[in-house]
């Protein structure tokens, strides 16, 4: 996984290689996404999909023609998103993109006791990132979008909370982007209701927030400010479909010693990447400044009231020194 993240940093530092890195990582993810894959294979798939998502956000594959890719050549963004969508919607049995069978089925119980699938944390990062890509670049899977939402909504109840968040976001983005599609509006209502009664409180809060952003009133919630809901509904597209800033995966210029080249003692040097408000040290001047700039102002004596040294008598008189 560290090697995968290192490949992402190389692609971030050398954008010309990003398209080839995306293709290689996608092939790596598909190679490890096999039936009954081990947890280490699922971890490799998750790390690869995360880096692919980051590079796609930074523009990898966007400049490539959307025609079928040439053999051995880089993949356009549309093809990358569609391949991840296929892995997500038609996963390998017990693979990294699969939602496992229910606990009742695993224990040999009757199939009608608990027909819902359940998921563990294995592969949840891969599924959530693939779901985010489908929702953000929905134009690349335009004809598949209703089926994507439908199939993922059917898996919602048994999914990991991290994946549920992205399924909810996908349903909202699809319904807002294609507001004339009655199927997507119905699926959105269904997913919002599932999120409303989920056991995870973060997901319930997210569901209530998105319900208000959409200008909808929660049934059974009592009186609501209709004017406020109408004002939110007018800004739904701007809030939900706003452009996302690409992630910063590289920690900035790196010194020869291998450490980030930031001002010592700054917050950027502590966290390892540039933060808002960071001011780098100016470059060395080409012309040396006037040494007289350090001289005291006329009529002002230089300050000399500092210790010139420490003697044994000083230490004896001040033991805590």
């Amino acid at each position: 996984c560290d090697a995968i993240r290192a490949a992402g940093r190389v692609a971030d530092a050398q954008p010309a290689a990003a398209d080839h890195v995306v293709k290689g990582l996608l092939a790596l993810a598909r190679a490890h996404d096999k039936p009954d894959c081990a947890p280490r294979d699922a971890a490799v798939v998750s790390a690869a999909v995360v880096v692919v998502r980051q590079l796609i956000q930074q523009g990898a594959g966007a400049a490539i023609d959307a025609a079928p890719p040439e053999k051995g050549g880089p993949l356009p963004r549309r093809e990358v998103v569609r391949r991840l969508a296929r892995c997500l919607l038609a996963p390998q049995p017990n693979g990294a993109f699969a939602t496992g069978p229910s606990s009742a089925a695993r224990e040999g119980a009757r199939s009608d006791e608990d027909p819902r699938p359940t998921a563990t944390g294995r592969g949840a990062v891969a599924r959530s990132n693939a779901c985010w890509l489908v929702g953000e670049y929905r134009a690349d899977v335009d004809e598949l979008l209703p089926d994507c939402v439908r199939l993922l909504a059917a898996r919602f109840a048994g999914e990991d909370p991290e994946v549920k968040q992205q399924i909810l976001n996908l349903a909202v983005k699809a319904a807002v982007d294609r507001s004339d599609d009655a199927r997507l509006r119905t699926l959105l209502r269904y997913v919002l209701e599932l999120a409303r009664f989920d056991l995870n409180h973060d997901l319930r809060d997210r569901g209530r927030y998105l319900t208000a952003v959409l200008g909808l009133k929660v049934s059974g919630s009592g009186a609501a400010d209709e004017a406020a809901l109408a004002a939110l509904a007018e800004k739904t597209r701007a809030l939900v479909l706003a452009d996302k800033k690409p992630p910063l995966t590289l920690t900035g210029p790196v010194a020869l010693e291998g450490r980030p080249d930031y001002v010592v003692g700054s917050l950027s040097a502590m966290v390892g990447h540039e933060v808002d408000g960071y001011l780098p040290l100016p470059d060395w001047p080409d012309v040396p400044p006037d040494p007289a700039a350090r001289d005291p102002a006329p009529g002002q004596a230089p300050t000399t009231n500092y210790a010139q040294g420490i003697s044994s008598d000083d230490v004896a008189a001040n033991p805590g020194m």
Side-chain angles (χ1 to χ4, degrees):
C1 295
D2 289 340
I4 293 173
R5 286 188 284 270
R9 290 197 55 177
V10 170
D12 191 16
Q14 300 292 332
D19 296 333
H20 296 281
V21 171
V22 167
K23 183 179 180 180
L25 291 179
L26 191 60
L28 178 67
R30 297 184 70 179
H32 283 268
D33 181 29
K34 49 193 175 183
D36 299 315
C37 70
R40 60 178 178 272
D41 292 314
V44 171
V45 175
S46 296
V49 175
V50 168
V51 175
V52 167
R53 190 260 304 165
Q54 292 172 342
L55 296 178
I56 288 293
Q57 280 189 269
Q58 292 176 337
I64 303 176
D65 187 12
E70 299 180 0
K71 186 176 181 180
L75 299 174
R77 187 191 69 194
R78 175 184 174 85
E79 184 65 21
V80 174
V81 175
R82 293 175 76 88
R83 288 190 183 186
L84 287 175
R86 285 196 292 269
C87 292
L88 183 64
L89 301 179
Q92 297 282 355
N94 293 328
F97 290 96
T99 304
S102 66
S103 56
R106 286 197 301 268
E107 295 169 2
R110 296 195 310 271
S111 59
D112 58 348
E113 281 189 14
D114 186 10
R116 297 177 305 168
T118 58
T120 63
R122 187 187 68 171
V125 175
R127 295 196 299 275
S128 62
N129 279 268
C131 188
W132 186 91
L133 280 171
V134 171
E136 188 66 19
Y137 302 102
R138 55 201 170 274
D140 294 332
V141 291
D142 186 60
E143 74 280 6
L144 303 176
L145 192 58
D147 283 334
C148 289
V149 179
R150 176 179 61 84
L151 293 174
L152 291 172
R155 294 161 51 174
F156 184 93
E159 266 293 1
D160 188 86
E162 181 179 1
V163 186
K164 289 180 180 180
Q165 290 266 10
Q166 297 306 325
I167 295 175
L168 177 59
N169 292 338
L170 170 62
V172 172
K173 291 177 182 178
V176 172
D177 189 39
R178 298 170 59 168
S179 56
D180 56 342
D181 195 325
R183 297 171 298 174
L184 291 175
R185 292 200 303 271
T186 302
L187 288 169
L188 174 60
R189 285 279 190 177
Y190 173 70
V191 174
L192 285 173
E193 284 297 309
L194 290 176
R196 179 187 173 193
F197 296 102
D198 196 84
L199 296 178
N200 186 278
H201 63 274
D202 289 332
L203 189 63
R204 294 199 301 270
D205 290 344
R206 181 71 177 175
R208 284 194 292 267
Y209 162 74
L210 290 174
T211 300
V213 166
L214 294 167
L216 302 176
K217 179 181 177 182
V218 179
S219 58
S221 60
D225 190 341
E226 300 291 344
L229 291 177
L232 283 173
E234 294 177 357
K235 301 178 181 179
T236 298
R237 293 188 68 87
L239 292 172
V240 174
L241 305 181
D243 293 334
K244 311 298 188 302
K245 290 185 178 181
L248 181 65
T249 57
L250 189 65
T251 58
V254 177
L256 296 178
E257 296 82 5
R259 297 187 297 272
D261 190 15
Y262 295 115
V263 177
V264 176
S266 64
L267 179 59
S268 297
M270 294 174 62
V271 299
H273 64 84
E274 185 173 327
V275 299
D276 293 340
Y278 172 76
L279 296 176
L281 287 177
D283 294 333
W284 292 101
D286 296 331
V287 179
D290 184 6
R294 299 184 179 89
D295 296 339
Q300 180 180 358
T303 303
T304 58
N305 55 344
Y306 52 86
Q308 301 294 325
I310 300 176
S311 66
S312 57
D313 295 336
D314 295 331
V315 175
N318 299 280
M321 187 173 177

